[in-house]
Amino acid sequence: YAYRSLMNSAFFSAGTGLMVILVGAPASYVLSRVKFKGRDSFLYLLLLFSSIVTGSAAMVPLFLLALRLNILDTYHGVILVLTGGLIPAAIFILKDFTDSIPKSYEESAQIFGASSFRILKDIVTPVIRPGLAVIFVWSFVQAWGNFLVPFILIRDINKQPGAVMMYSF
């Protein structure tokens, strides 16, 4: 059981890190480059709610949502819940990295016909790679040490991560 629980922890952590990168990078790029009404207010509210609403305060609604979506006792359910908790902070960190990129890089690519996705993939991502690495390691560690989410959402002993298994042991 110990080896399986460590593998489950690694799977939860790697999946969460990957999802945070896949969602956080495009979101931070959009919030950095696209000007829309209420953007600064949205960023402030995102920061405010991410720091005020703690994981333990949100567990009852998250459990009910997981129950309705039929993702209780699944790997992807835990990864989605962990990712949702880490996304706001990841967006803030990655937005600062994205803000540091000169817009002339993107304008040059647009002149040559690059799409927004192509600009994100070939120009922005290589420049913010250190930020992506930081976010991946940070989210990996946060997911690895998380006890509450897997404890509430996972019932099958074969799917429990190391933190829950140590408590059960």
Side-chain angles (χ1 to χ4, degrees):
Y1 288 119
Y3 178 73
R4 183 180 302 237
S5 68
L6 289 176
M7 293 305 295
N8 289 339
S9 292
F11 182 73
F12 288 144
S13 299
T16 300
L18 187 64
M19 288 296 295
V20 167
I21 293 296
L22 290 175
V23 173
S28 66
Y29 176 68
V30 167
L31 289 173
S32 175
R33 295 299 192 236
V34 177
K35 307 288 187 213
F36 57 90
K37 186 178 179 180
R39 180 184 75 153
D40 294 333
S41 299
F42 174 73
L43 288 170
Y44 179 73
L45 286 173
L46 189 66
L47 175 64
L48 184 66
F49 285 128
S50 68
S51 61
I52 290 177
V53 179
T54 62
S56 56
M59 280 318 298
V60 172
L62 285 174
F63 178 81
L64 294 174
L65 182 64
L67 182 67
R68 288 190 181 148
L69 294 175
N70 201 22
I71 57 173
L72 281 178
D73 211 22
T74 62
Y75 290 113
H76 61 278
V78 173
I79 290 171
L80 286 174
V81 170
L82 290 172
T83 300
L86 297 174
I87 285 290
I91 289 173
F92 277 108
I93 295 169
L94 288 174
K95 184 184 176 303
D96 288 338
F97 277 93
T98 308
D99 286 343
S100 70
I101 301 171
K103 292 185 180 175
S104 62
Y105 292 179
E106 298 166 43
E107 292 167 355
S108 297
Q110 286 175 341
I111 288 173
F112 287 104
S115 66
S116 295
F117 179 74
R118 181 84 176 192
I119 292 171
L120 177 65
K121 179 181 166 274
D122 293 335
I123 294 171
V124 176
T125 301
V127 175
I128 65 169
R129 193 173 292 150
L132 295 174
V134 166
I135 293 299
F136 181 81
V137 170
W138 171 75
S139 59
F140 188 94
V141 170
Q142 292 292 321
W144 184 276
N146 195 303
F147 169 78
L148 189 60
V149 171
F151 181 70
I152 292 179
L153 297 181
I154 300 286
R155 294 288 168 226
D156 185 6
I157 196 167
N158 293 321
K159 295 180 182 178
Q160 291 179 342
V164 176
M165 190 60 79
M166 284 180 15
Y167 173 78
S168 302
F169 187 63

